[in-house]
Amino acid sequence: DAKTTQPPSMDCAEGRAANLPCNHSTISGNEYVYWYRQIHSQGPQYIIHGLKNNETNEMASLIITEDRKSSTLILPHATLRDTAVYYCIVRVLDAGNMLTFGGGTRLMVKP
Amino acid sequence: EAGVAQSPRYKIIEKRQSVAFWCNPISGHATLYWYQQILGQGPKLLIQFQNNGVVDDSQLPKDRFSAERLKGVDSTLKIQPAKLEDSAVYLCASSLPRDSGDTQYFGPGTRLTVL
């Protein structure tokens, strides 16, 4: 079973920041937080991951609370192409450790 | 860099027929995964290979599903015989362990419809 809880859907206006929350209250000390997204009719795409420090890359920022029980994925300037299902996953960083997907958050970016 | 390739993209069969899917991972990726994604749900792992050996097949319905990865590169997933509930998208992913956080790269998937 997935170890994360996400809202089933969210809307965001084009050009605004999209903030996607994720609860992972049972996360273990050696588990990372990963985010993937899945655009319609495509395979999931890696976005970002982190352990306890905030992370930023060209796609998004990941903010992890100090107690690591929740996190927020931030898309700073959402575009229509960011419309997708976003999955928050916790996993141990290890060779070949599988991804356990939950239901994700369906983000709709509106003009 | 070429991504994960899968074929066919779409397949329609009748129940009790057989079907096979093919996956070519990213060059050099030792770990290969097959996931099943039923409409409206997140992907679920079916089987994981490390090179040509099976690491985890605990979620694979072995009475009808089989998979192989000969020579540690390409992989095939077979369903024989298919049931209506096998209608889903079958996703293949690959990763290079401990590279960039063991990120998994997914192919476009094969959409299977069983009538």
Side-chain angles (χ1 to χ4, degrees), chain A residues 41-42, chain B residues 6-11 108-112:
Chain A
S41 296
Q42 297 182 22
Chain B
Q6 291 188 247
S7 68
R9 290 296 313 276
Y10 304 92
K11 189 73 176 179
T110 297
R111 182 177 297 277
L112 173 67

Side-chain angles (χ1 to χ4, degrees), chain A residues 34 36 38 40-46 49 87 91-103 106, chain B residues 9 31 33 35 37 41-45 48 50 56 91 95 97-98 100-104 106-108 111:
Chain A
Y34 281 74
Y36 279 74
Q38 188 171 24
H40 183 64
S41 296
Q42 297 182 22
Q45 175 192 24
Y46 166 81
H49 76 282
Y87 296 100
R91 64 183 287 232
V92 175
L93 178 61
D94 196 1
N97 193 268
M98 69 177 185
L99 296 172
T100 301
F101 290 84
R106 185 173 298 276
Chain B
R9 290 296 313 276
T31 310
Y33 311 79
Y35 288 83
Q37 185 172 24
Q41 300 180 16
K44 183 187 79 172
L45 181 73
Q48 174 186 327
Q50 181 75 17
D56 184 354
L91 295 159
S95 68
R98 297 195 181 278
S100 301
D102 195 18
T103 301
Q104 292 186 26
F106 286 80
R111 182 177 297 277

Side-chain angles (χ1 to χ4, degrees), chain A residues 53-73:
Chain A
N53 297 322
N54 298 337
E55 302 288 344
T56 296
N57 62 19
E58 65 278 5
M59 291 184 67
S61 294
L62 173 61
I63 308 298
I64 302 174
T65 58
E66 192 169 343
D67 63 7
R68 302 212 319 124
K69 293 184 176 182
S70 66
S71 61
T72 302
L73 179 74

